[in-house]
Each structure stands twice: as C-alpha cells, then as structure tokens.
C-alpha cells in the first residue's frame, strides 16, 4: 500500500511506493489523458480528465501504467469511461422508450425507478473526473478560468437545448421567447455542480495528518474542507426544505399550454385565462404543490421560466393512467396544471453533494495503491450510503428525484459507487474490456452523443428534409407508424 506524501507545497500531493519514489507498480491505473489539452472544444468528452503539466523529472505512480512495451502511452481509466457511457445510454433509453415501461420512466413523484439513477450517476462521474483532472494544481487562476469557461459552455448549451429553442417534431419552427425560456435543465445542473466542486478542489487547502489513520478516513481528514463544504450544502438544503414557510400562490392555467409549450400528448385541464390559487401556508411539505423546492424556483426564477411539463402530472392525482400520461380525473387538484422544475435551484444544491461523493472516490483512486485497497475503500462507504438512504426513506424522508431529497442523494450515490466498483473490477482489474467498447466510446464522446441523441438535435436535423409539406418528414412518419407512439414513445423527443 502506498503512503500519502504531503510536500511542503500543499498543491503537490502524490502517492509514492515504500521502496522508491520513482518506482511504479503495475497495479496502479492511468488517470491521465494522452494528447493535447482541448478543453475549449464542446465536442470534447464531457468533463473527461485533462492532462496536467508535470514538473520536470517528476512522475506520479498513479499517472501511468508502466509496461515493458511502452512507457510513453498512458492508458485511460476505462471503467470511468464505460460508466459515463452507460449513463449516456441510460439518458437516451429513458427519453425514447421511458413511456413504454414504468421502470424506464422517471417516478412521477416519490419512489425511484431505473431512470432516476441516471442523473446522480453522471454527477458522481463528474466528481471522480475532477479528482483526476485537478490532481496537480500549479496555477490556480488558470485552472479557475478553465473551470469557469467549461461551466459556462455547458450552461448555455443546456439553455439552448432545453430552454425551448428546439420544439420537437410536432412544432417545426424554432426559437424561444425570452420571457418563457427555461433556465434550468440537465446540463445546467451539471455545470453548476461541476463549477462548485471544481472551485473547491482548486482553492481549498489540504491538511497534513499524522494520527496513524489510513485509507478513506485519512483522505477525509486530508480533504476536510471539502467535507465541510459538502456538509454545508446539505445543511442549507435540509434547512430550507423543512424550515422554509411556503405561502399560498397563484398561476395562470394557460401558462402551461401557450405557444410552443403546447404538447398534444397532454390534456388541457383548464383553458380559462384565470388565476388559479394553490393553498399552502405550511413548512416541510414534500408533496408537489407546497414544497420549498418549487417555492424557491417560483420566487427566484418565476413561473414562466420553469418546466411546463412537470413530472407530477403522471401522479394518481393528475392522471388516470398513472404512472403514465393521461387525462386528469374529475377531481384533479389545480396544481396539476402548474409548472415545476425538476432541475431547479434548491434541488441542485443537494445534487452538489453527489458530486462531492464522487470527488472523494476519485481521491481514493489517486492516493490508494492496489486494486483491492481501492475497492475496499469504495465498497464500504457505498454500502453505508445505500443503507442510510433506505433507512431515511422508512423514517419519513421519501426517495424523491424532483426534490433531490437527502435520502435519494444517499441511495443513488451509494448505488453509483457500487456500479463503478463492478466496472472497475471487471474492466480494469480482470481486463474484460472488449464487451464494453461501445459504452467506452460513448463515454469518450458523451457530450456530442447527448446533444445529438438525447436532446433531439439529430431528429431536428432529419426532419428538415420533407416531401412537399414540413409534416411529411421521416421522423413524423416513423412516429406515426410506431405502434406504441400513443402511450408515450419519446415523450421528450417526439412531443
């Protein structure tokens, strides 16, 4: 097992073998990217580790897998790329066939499905990648600039893709009214979490420890400030979620059905241009109408900038076909028509913690030497998080993705750790790489694939070729011929 060698400069932390600082073990894995730094390219794999400049004459034992055949060509951590590719594949699967099987669609409110693990998995990967990207910190200002630029690119790309500019195959025009643009979304959340954790990684100091502890516990002490920030984010989220007083609020029913926001698959619950009132006046309510997550978004962003197709319209209160879309029951509450953003501000505060968990796992990868040691220090906290999330759920803190509840964060972060351990063991330890080459390729090109496939850009491009009238395009024909299109195929892409 390696030892943690803290140089006098707190920016230089590296793992050395007991025998020699320059000796490298074949069990250590590459965590650097070969090739030039191209972080300014939007087609660069999303948040993939970047090569950091090495001091002349100095080598990290975790930087390269050294073999007799080649010392010049470091390998990537294939399991992380495969895990990222699996998450992208999950996004595409959920977007296209989630309406066919409830297990592949997001839970309408409380509870989790397979689809609800995709976002936390990706945030976990972002955290792990950051531990590798900023393994060596030489110029804080330069790295801060890179992090800000990358976060800005992700945010504005997310606004372009999910803010309303692309309208889907049933609406062949483009563009969005700034008054109703959606500011939140998947890429926007990733950008926020990435930026927060990256800045902490760049600027927060590390501590030296000499108490004899080792492994995961020692790293928690070395990166104590990271733990403090993660706890602060959790405390702020829980304090606001359970302590913020949510007042009564009003919304205009047609707001969710005007202009490009109209979706034929959704029923028009109310067409009168009147204000509807949602009665609240409570604290700590975790139901769709009066929770603090929605209140913060309404207060800061405004109703017109939230998701006009909230996931809770598939709940039993709002759909006779729950957990699928359907007409509302006769006694449907008025909030079924109201907007709500599942990637809003307060829920993103909780999502940051998932990224910090991934960062800790990345620290274990960088500082621990030997496969079994790494797996041991990954599996234990993963199981603890998983069990803790389940216990919290039974104690009254429901598993809820739209709210990104603390129990949901623990459960999904623990699951992400276990899934990564499985990939690491099979791919990087046992060498079963060939069966996962497709997922690895998807992981290496995740942002490009997400943009083209998961966000419907490729469909928008294809439907631009039509016969006589725009409605006669290949995408529309496929949707009409598909036997299950009426039950929700492509709820996000084909609507």
């Amino acid at each position: 097992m390696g030892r943690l060698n803290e140089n006098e400069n707190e920016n230089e932390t590296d793992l050395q073998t007991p025998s020699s600082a320059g000796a490298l073990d074949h069990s250590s894995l590459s965590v650097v990217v070969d090739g030039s730094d191209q972080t300014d390219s939007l087609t660069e794999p999303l948040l993939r580790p970047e090569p950091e400049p090495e001091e002349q004459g100095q080598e990290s034992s975790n930087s390269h897998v050294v073999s007799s055949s080649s010392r010049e060509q470091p390998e990537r951590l294939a399991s992380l790329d495969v895990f990222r590719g699996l998450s992208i594949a999950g996004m595409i699967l959920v977007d296209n066939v989630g309406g066919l099987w409830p297990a592949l669609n997001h839970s309408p409110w409380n509870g989790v499905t397979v689809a609800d693990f995709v976002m936390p998995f990706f945030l976990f990967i972002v955290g792990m990648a950051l531990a590798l990207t900023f393994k060596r910190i030489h110029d804080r200002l330069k790295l801060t600039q890179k992090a800000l630029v990358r976060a800005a690119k992700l945010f504005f790309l997310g606004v372009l893709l999910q803010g309303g500019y692309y309208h889907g195959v049933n609406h062949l025009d483009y563009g969005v009214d700034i008054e109703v643009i959606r500011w939140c979304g998947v890429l926007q959340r990733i950008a926020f979490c990435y930026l927060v954790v990256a800045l902490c990684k760049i600027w927060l100091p590390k501590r030296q420890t000499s108490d004899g502890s080792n492994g995961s516990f020692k790293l928690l002490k070395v990166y104590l400030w990271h733990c403090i920030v993660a706890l602060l984010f959790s405390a702020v989220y829980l304090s606001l979620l359970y302590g913020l007083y949510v007042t009564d609020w009003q919304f205009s029913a047609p707001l969710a059905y005007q202009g490009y926001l109209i979706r034929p698959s959704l029923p028009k619950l109310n067409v009168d241009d009147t204000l509807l009132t949602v009665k609240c006046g409570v604290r700590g309510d975790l139901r769709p109408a009066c929770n603090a997550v929605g209140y913060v978004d309404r207060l800061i962003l405004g109703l017109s900038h939230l998701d006009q197709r909230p996931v809770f319209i598939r709940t039993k209160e709002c759909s006779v076909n729950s957990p699928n879309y359907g007409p509302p029951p006769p006694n449907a509450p008025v909030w079924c028509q109201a907007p709500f953003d599942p990637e809003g501000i307060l829920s993103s505060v909780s999502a940051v913690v998932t990224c910090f968990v991934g960062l800790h796992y990345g620290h274990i990868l960088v500082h621990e030497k030997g496969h079994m040691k790494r797996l041991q220090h990954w599996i234990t906290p993963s199981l603890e998080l998983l069990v803790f999330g389940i216990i919290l759920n039974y104690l009254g803190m429901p598993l809820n993705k739209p709210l990104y509840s603390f129990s949901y964060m623990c459960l999904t972060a623990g699951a992400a750790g276990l899934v990564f351990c499985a990939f690491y063991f099979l791919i990087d330890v046992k060498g079963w790489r060939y069966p996962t080459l497709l997922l690895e390729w998807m992981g290496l090109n995740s942002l490009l694939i997400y943009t083209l496939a998961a966000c419907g850009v490729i469909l928008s491009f294809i439907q631009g070729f039509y016969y006589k009238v725009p409605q006669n395009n290949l995408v529309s024909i496929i949707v009409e011929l598909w036997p299950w299109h009426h039950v929700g195929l492509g709820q996000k892409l084909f609507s």
Side-chain angles (χ1 to χ4, degrees):
M1 175 179 174
R3 59 183 176 85
L4 194 64
N5 177 29
E6 296 285 349
N7 296 338
E8 293 182 358
N9 183 353
E10 66 184 10
N11 299 334
E12 298 293 332
T13 303
D14 202 1
L15 179 69
Q16 307 293 342
T17 61
S19 58
S20 171
L24 300 179
D25 193 297
H26 289 273
S27 66
S28 64
L29 286 178
S30 166
V31 293
V32 297
V33 179
D34 51 342
S36 60
D37 186 356
Q38 298 177 350
T39 59
D40 291 336
S41 173
L42 282 179
T43 58
E44 186 74 6
L46 181 61
L47 305 180
R48 65 185 275 188
E50 300 169 357
E52 292 297 332
E54 299 278 353
E55 289 187 359
Q56 186 175 5
Q58 183 179 15
E59 248 185 348
S60 167
S61 62
N62 265 0
S63 295
H64 299 71
V65 175
V66 178
S67 64
S68 58
S69 60
S70 174
R71 183 183 291 265
E72 302 297 331
Q73 297 181 353
E75 299 177 4
R76 290 178 59 86
L77 182 62
S79 54
L80 191 60
D81 290 327
V82 172
F83 194 12
R84 187 188 292 112
L86 176 68
S87 300
I88 290 295
M91 290 182 182
I92 297 174
L93 186 66
V94 169
D95 285 343
N96 286 275
V97 299
L100 297 179
W101 298 283
L104 294 179
N105 204 357
H106 292 291
S107 175
W109 196 247
N110 290 336
V112 292
T113 65
V114 174
D116 295 320
F117 287 87
V118 175
M119 167 63 79
F121 279 15
F122 214 91
L123 293 176
F124 178 90
I125 295 168
V126 170
M128 281 205 71
L130 279 170
L132 313 182
T133 301
F134 301 124
K135 186 180 65 171
R136 293 178 179 272
I137 298 176
H138 296 270
D139 188 336
R140 284 190 170 95
L141 291 178
K142 182 179 179 180
L143 293 178
T144 300
Q145 181 183 9
K146 285 186 176 182
L148 289 170
V149 170
R150 170 161 289 186
K153 287 180 178 180
L154 288 173
F155 178 84
F156 287 110
L157 181 60
V159 171
L160 176 67
L161 296 175
Q162 295 185 293
Y165 185 84
Y166 292 103
H167 301 170
V169 298
N170 292 310
H171 303 271
L172 300 180
D173 58 330
Y174 297 90
V176 58
D177 185 350
I178 297 299
E179 290 187 352
V180 294
I181 193 171
R182 182 187 174 202
W183 296 113
C184 299
V186 173
L187 289 181
Q188 296 94 308
R189 169 170 285 179
I190 293 175
F192 172 70
C193 296
Y194 165 79
L195 183 61
V196 170
V197 178
L199 293 179
C200 289
K201 176 64 178 172
I202 294 170
W203 289 97
L204 291 182
K206 295 188 288 289
R207 301 171 67 248
Q208 296 201 17
T209 61
S210 57
D211 57 0
S213 60
N214 53 40
S216 185
F217 289 106
K218 181 170 185 177
L219 291 177
L220 288 175
K221 296 175 181 178
V222 170
Y223 296 99
L224 178 63
W225 285 105
H226 295 165
C227 300
I228 292 175
V229 173
L231 290 175
L232 286 176
F233 270 84
S234 300
V236 169
Y237 169 77
L238 291 172
S239 298
L240 293 177
L241 182 67
Y242 289 99
L244 193 62
Y245 181 79
V246 180
T247 61
D248 298 344
W249 55 284
Q250 294 180 321
F251 67 98
S252 178
L255 179 63
Y257 306 104
Q258 63 181 337
Y260 77 91
L261 294 171
I262 296 176
R263 295 296 191 267
S265 59
L266 297 183
K268 294 186 179 182
L269 304 182
N270 192 313
V271 295
D272 297 328
D273 190 13
T274 57
L275 287 177
L276 300 180
T277 301
V278 179
K279 294 290 185 180
C280 291
V282 294
R283 299 181 194 271
D285 194 319
L286 303 184
R287 293 173 295 180
C290 299
N291 59 79
V293 171
Y295 177 72
V296 170
D297 290 338
R298 294 191 298 270
L299 193 65
I300 297 177
L301 299 175
L303 285 167
S304 61
H305 297 292
L306 305 182
D307 187 359
Q308 306 298 313
R309 298 181 67 225
V311 66
F312 57 64
I313 62 176
R314 294 189 287 108
T315 58
K316 292 181 179 179
E317 295 90 340
C318 303
S319 172
V320 296
N321 296 330
S322 180
N324 294 319
Y325 293 98
N331 59 343
V334 296
W335 52 260
C336 289
Q337 308 170 65
F340 177 88
D341 210 303
E343 283 90 31
I345 297 174
L346 186 55
S347 56
S348 293
V349 171
S350 178
V352 169
V353 184
T354 301
C355 205
F356 272 109
V357 174
L359 181 69
H360 176 65
Y361 281 58
H363 287 155
I364 294 174
L365 176 66
V366 171
H367 293 295
E368 284 297 330
K369 188 171 188 274
H371 297 312
M372 293 303 107
K373 284 292 184 180
R374 289 168 175 166
L375 287 170
Q376 175 187 345
H377 295 310
W378 283 332
I379 291 176
T380 301
S382 297
L383 292 174
E384 291 172 348
L385 285 170
L386 196 69
V387 172
F388 188 51
I390 295 174
I391 292 175
L392 289 177
N393 179 58
Y394 282 104
L395 291 179
M397 183 182 292
L399 302 169
N400 188 293
K401 178 189 178 294
L403 300 179
Y404 216 104
S405 63
F406 191 74
S407 58
Y408 169 79
M409 186 278 297
C410 293
L411 177 81
T412 54
L418 292 177
V419 172
F420 173 74
C421 286
F423 279 133
Y424 181 87
F425 179 76
L426 293 175
I427 298 171
D428 292 309
V429 178
K430 294 299 182 180
W432 294 3
R433 191 167 179 178
Y434 182 76
T436 61
L437 286 179
L438 177 60
L439 289 178
E440 184 176 350
W441 174 82
M442 294 179 68
L444 288 169
N445 300 277
S446 53
L447 182 57
L448 178 63
I449 294 174
Y450 177 81
T451 301
L452 294 180
C455 293
V457 174
I458 188 67
L459 292 179
S460 299
F461 175 80
I462 294 174
Q463 73 176 7
F465 298 91
Y466 58 86
Y467 179 71
K468 292 186 178 180
V469 295
Q471 288 71 21
N472 291 335
N473 61 75
L474 182 60
V475 176
S476 298
I477 293 174
I478 293 175
V479 172
E480 290 300 325
L481 293 179
W482 184 261
W484 298 291
H485 74 92
H486 61 283
V487 297
L489 174 65
Q491 287 291 341
K492 295 183 179 180
L493 298 182
F494 296 159
S495 59

